[in-house]
Amino acid sequence: MAHGQADRIARAYLPEHPLGNRWDYYYSRAKLGSDPLYPGVSAALRGTRAPLLDLGCGLGLLAHTLLADGIRLPYRGVDSDAAKIRRATRAAARVGLDHAVFETVDLSQRVPEHRGSVVILDVLQFIPYPAQARAIDAMIAMLTPGARLVIRTGLDDGTGRARITRAVDLFSRALGWMNAMPRYYPNGEALRARLREAGLEVEFTPLFGRTPFNNWRIVAARAE
């Protein structure tokens, strides 16, 4: 994302007081400027009209970037980190994202009800395997004709990128940025087979960008 656009979005996360904590602002600006995640998700969702559920939304950056890309969908973001949800809600209100709502949900315990498109970005690896398999099945069941499931995740493929991804996820937990440990990185072929068995059209695309991580974008669509 261009530096100017990244900075404009990140300004929604500035503290209310000049001496307040600016971590969210600097984090958002750096992520938007270096990670191809959000342009990749916009490309996957462009042309869809179904309501969007963002599982593990964090600070809610996706709602801001979609609107900046001219994609305005009814948006609901959920995350297990209540503090991030509070900050996401505040940032959305600050810039008038009145079509976006946020809610605290522990995805290791339950997946909220929804009908439409679903995104789950950099979250799957933090869900233990039995719960992860149930979550994937639940997301597939949410898809309506023409809707899309967009996943960004590291894959367990034995590469150096996979090892770096795991190490950084562990470090993020140690810093307290993530409130869960990485549990299970999906096997790419098994995930592809599961989505195809459900009758979905599936596309895997590397989404490394200028990062050392083993990140892939997976788009699964139900035919209209």
Side-chain angles (χ1 to χ4, degrees), residues 143-181:
L143 297 177
T144 53
R148 292 170 195 165
L149 168 60
V150 184
I151 301 170
R152 210 247 318 237
T153 186
L155 296 178
D156 183 12
D157 56 12
T159 62
R161 282 182 175 274
R163 290 190 289 273
I164 291 171
T165 302
R166 179 179 291 276
V168 172
D169 284 342
L170 288 168
F171 184 61
S172 296
R173 175 67 181 108
L175 285 178
W177 179 244
M178 301 302 297
N179 64 355
M181 294 283 288

Side-chain angles (χ1 to χ4, degrees), residues 79-133:
D79 198 281
S80 62
D81 191 326
K84 287 182 182 177
I85 288 295
R86 287 194 296 272
R87 281 136 58 198
T89 301
R90 184 171 62 241
R94 177 177 284 179
V95 296
L97 287 181
D98 53 3
H99 65 288
V101 297
F102 298 91
E103 180 184 353
T104 303
V105 175
D106 184 350
L107 297 177
S108 69
Q109 300 297 318
R110 70 178 182 93
V111 177
E113 293 185 4
H114 175 72
R115 296 291 288 166
S117 292
V118 188
V119 298
I120 184 164
L121 310 175
D122 302 332
V123 171
L124 273 185
Q125 64 264 36
F126 295 98
I127 304 176
Y129 176 71
Q132 185 183 118

Side-chain angles (χ1 to χ4, degrees), residues 19-43:
L19 299 180
N21 189 326
R22 294 187 169 222
W23 169 262
D24 288 350
Y25 164 73
Y26 288 117
Y27 167 81
S28 300
R29 192 175 70 174
K31 187 169 183 64
L32 292 170
S34 63
D35 192 336
L37 170 62
Y38 297 106
V41 176
S42 288

